Amino acid sequence: MTSQPLAPLDLAFWNIESAEHPMHLGALGVFPADSPTAAAHAADLLAARAPAVPGLRMRIRDRWRPPLAPGSPLSLGALTALGGAAREPDPGFDPLGHVRLHPPAADFQAVAGRLMERPLDRERPPWEAHVVPAEDGASFAVLFKFHHALADGLRALALAAGILDPMDLPEPRPRPEPPRRSPLPAVRDLPGLLRGALSDAGRALDIGAAAALSTLDVRSSPALAAGASGTRRTAGVSLDLDDVHRIRKTVSGTVNDVLIAVVAGALRRWLDERGDGSEGVAPRALIPVSRRRPRTAHPQGNRLSGYLIRLPVGDPDPLSRLGTVRAAMDRNKDAGPARGAGAVALLADHVPALGHRLGGPLVGQAARLWFDILVTSVPLPSLGLRLGGHPLTEVYPYAPLARGHALAVAVSTYRGRVHYGLVADAGAVPDLDLLARALTEEVETLLTACGS
């Protein structure tokens, strides 16, 4: 296994991280236990399987010097590595240091919050698995943490699936290897390359202008902003997917439209209950969009863009809120994920490695200017996942919390249930349980409004 330079967006995630704002994804899975030793057996299985998954043995190393052999001529490719980072195999990989068995706990979410606030060790492969047995012995939970520079949502799913029980999946069709190309472009290709470069530059300017315009007329709430406390609190909500489908069929649109509108309605309830008020509030929600196809989940490197929409929190009518969300998402889809303010992640491709290294902290601080809340969807397979023969019954995804943000929302659908995973700054949002309850209440409100 050889070193692999980080993709530009991976490099951005690696360099915007700070001790108070770790850039790792998370997922809390809950499994029923059939014996007092089920959790310990699960931890042993995870540790035993991890060495067989190549991506879990990869660590990330900063590169400040060009990778040149003595006497080699200085090349353009070497210059681009200056200030960058690369994944490389960890020769001393110890799975026991990455899989940890914890004492029994009464509240999985409380444990997850404390673990999510701890940054991953940047000198080791940047992932962890924490196994937590329930105090009553009826279940156990596994919290996976993956650094965003190691994996996006689909890639993290592939890595986690590699250490769960094997699934009976159809063999993927072999893909033909692309033809080898010379490192120098052919003369006949130069006009096309020039047009592509000009098109990319125009797209970058378009994205930058849209992002600048999105900062105008911001109607957010102080409740969604937070200082760098470095603390985390998590919460999980499980809803019936059939209820979401009933709402969708009544008003049209997509399941994702409904799930985003539920967040808008829950924020309204939460702001009113805590006394902050929701009138006139329309925070900017970043909706990440994966540009990775399911069959290409294994290649490394983040493949993300995004849509930026205003959540109609100030609208008192639940169906009107849903209509506003649906119209905004339709406009974004018509424009495509390569245009608009939400596609700022694509600008990472236009920044040299040294720029990411030096400008990472500044970019991290600017996230608050770009959006107010992250609402992301994490895909899960429809097939049942298992660990040590125990079926996965609940799974709550967690997103990183950017600097200046108080709250991030992730959502997954799995085997007939919708699971919301909430991550908040514990100092700014001590009442995260109220927001979790508001998500359930908003679905009930929408069902009533739809006559269901």
Short mmCIF file of all heavy atoms in Angstrom, two decimals, residues 251-254 257 321-331:
data_model
loop_
_atom_site.label_atom_id
_atom_site.label_comp_id
_atom_site.label_asym_id
_atom_site.label_seq_id
_atom_site.Cartn_x
_atom_site.Cartn_y
_atom_site.Cartn_z
N VAL A 251 -48.71 16.09 -0.25
CA VAL A 251 -48.32 17.42 -0.74
C VAL A 251 -47.33 17.35 -1.89
O VAL A 251 -46.92 18.39 -2.41
CB VAL A 251 -47.71 18.25 0.41
CG1 VAL A 251 -48.72 18.45 1.52
CG2 VAL A 251 -46.46 17.58 0.96
N SER A 252 -46.94 16.14 -2.32
CA SER A 252 -45.94 15.91 -3.37
C SER A 252 -44.55 16.33 -2.86
O SER A 252 -44.38 16.71 -1.71
CB SER A 252 -46.29 16.62 -4.67
OG SER A 252 -46.11 18.00 -4.56
N GLY A 253 -43.57 16.29 -3.74
CA GLY A 253 -42.20 16.56 -3.33
C GLY A 253 -41.48 15.26 -2.99
O GLY A 253 -41.92 14.16 -3.36
N THR A 254 -40.38 15.37 -2.29
CA THR A 254 -39.54 14.21 -1.96
C THR A 254 -39.52 13.97 -0.46
O THR A 254 -39.90 14.85 0.34
CB THR A 254 -38.10 14.41 -2.45
OG1 THR A 254 -37.49 15.44 -1.67
CG2 THR A 254 -38.06 14.80 -3.93
N ASP A 257 -37.40 16.57 1.14
CA ASP A 257 -38.10 17.84 1.35
C ASP A 257 -38.84 17.83 2.68
O ASP A 257 -38.80 18.79 3.45
CB ASP A 257 -39.10 18.10 0.22
CG ASP A 257 -38.44 18.32 -1.12
OD1 ASP A 257 -37.23 18.62 -1.16
OD2 ASP A 257 -39.14 18.16 -2.15
N ARG A 321 -44.59 26.04 5.11
CA ARG A 321 -43.16 25.81 5.32
C ARG A 321 -42.66 24.70 4.40
O ARG A 321 -41.59 24.82 3.78
CB ARG A 321 -42.89 25.43 6.78
CG ARG A 321 -43.01 26.57 7.76
CD ARG A 321 -42.39 26.21 9.10
NE ARG A 321 -43.05 25.12 9.78
CZ ARG A 321 -44.05 25.25 10.65
NH1 ARG A 321 -44.50 26.46 10.94
NH2 ARG A 321 -44.59 24.20 11.24
N LEU A 322 -43.43 23.62 4.32
CA LEU A 322 -43.03 22.51 3.46
C LEU A 322 -42.99 22.94 1.99
O LEU A 322 -42.06 22.58 1.25
CB LEU A 322 -44.00 21.34 3.64
CG LEU A 322 -43.76 20.10 2.77
CD1 LEU A 322 -42.33 19.62 2.85
CD2 LEU A 322 -44.73 18.99 3.17
N GLY A 323 -43.96 23.74 1.57
CA GLY A 323 -43.98 24.22 0.19
C GLY A 323 -42.78 25.10 -0.12
O GLY A 323 -42.19 25.02 -1.21
N THR A 324 -42.39 25.94 0.84
CA THR A 324 -41.23 26.80 0.65
C THR A 324 -39.95 25.98 0.51
O THR A 324 -39.10 26.26 -0.34
CB THR A 324 -41.10 27.78 1.82
OG1 THR A 324 -42.27 28.61 1.88
CG2 THR A 324 -39.88 28.66 1.67
N VAL A 325 -39.80 24.97 1.36
CA VAL A 325 -38.62 24.11 1.29
C VAL A 325 -38.58 23.37 -0.04
O VAL A 325 -37.53 23.30 -0.70
CB VAL A 325 -38.63 23.10 2.45
CG1 VAL A 325 -37.59 22.00 2.22
CG2 VAL A 325 -38.35 23.81 3.77
N ARG A 326 -39.73 22.83 -0.46
CA ARG A 326 -39.78 22.07 -1.71
C ARG A 326 -39.40 22.97 -2.89
O ARG A 326 -38.62 22.56 -3.76
CB ARG A 326 -41.17 21.49 -1.91
CG ARG A 326 -41.27 20.58 -3.14
CD ARG A 326 -42.69 20.05 -3.27
NE ARG A 326 -43.62 21.11 -3.57
CZ ARG A 326 -44.83 21.25 -3.02
NH1 ARG A 326 -45.24 20.38 -2.11
NH2 ARG A 326 -45.62 22.23 -3.35
N ALA A 327 -39.91 24.21 -2.93
CA ALA A 327 -39.60 25.11 -4.03
C ALA A 327 -38.12 25.47 -4.04
O ALA A 327 -37.48 25.54 -5.10
CB ALA A 327 -40.46 26.37 -3.91
N ALA A 328 -37.55 25.70 -2.85
CA ALA A 328 -36.13 26.05 -2.78
C ALA A 328 -35.26 24.89 -3.24
O ALA A 328 -34.25 25.08 -3.95
CB ALA A 328 -35.77 26.45 -1.36
N MET A 329 -35.61 23.67 -2.84
CA MET A 329 -34.83 22.51 -3.26
C MET A 329 -34.97 22.28 -4.76
O MET A 329 -33.99 21.92 -5.43
CB MET A 329 -35.28 21.28 -2.48
CG MET A 329 -34.87 21.29 -1.02
SD MET A 329 -33.07 21.31 -0.78
CE MET A 329 -32.67 19.63 -1.31
N ASP A 330 -36.16 22.51 -5.31
CA ASP A 330 -36.35 22.36 -6.75
C ASP A 330 -35.48 23.34 -7.52
O ASP A 330 -34.88 23.00 -8.55
CB ASP A 330 -37.82 22.56 -7.13
CG ASP A 330 -38.69 21.38 -6.74
OD1 ASP A 330 -38.13 20.31 -6.43
OD2 ASP A 330 -39.93 21.52 -6.72
N ARG A 331 -35.39 24.58 -7.03
CA ARG A 331 -34.54 25.57 -7.70
C ARG A 331 -33.08 25.14 -7.66
O ARG A 331 -32.35 25.28 -8.66
CB ARG A 331 -34.72 26.95 -7.04
CG ARG A 331 -36.04 27.63 -7.33
CD ARG A 331 -36.00 29.10 -6.93
NE ARG A 331 -35.79 29.26 -5.49
CZ ARG A 331 -36.77 29.31 -4.59
NH1 ARG A 331 -38.03 29.21 -4.99
NH2 ARG A 331 -36.50 29.47 -3.31
#
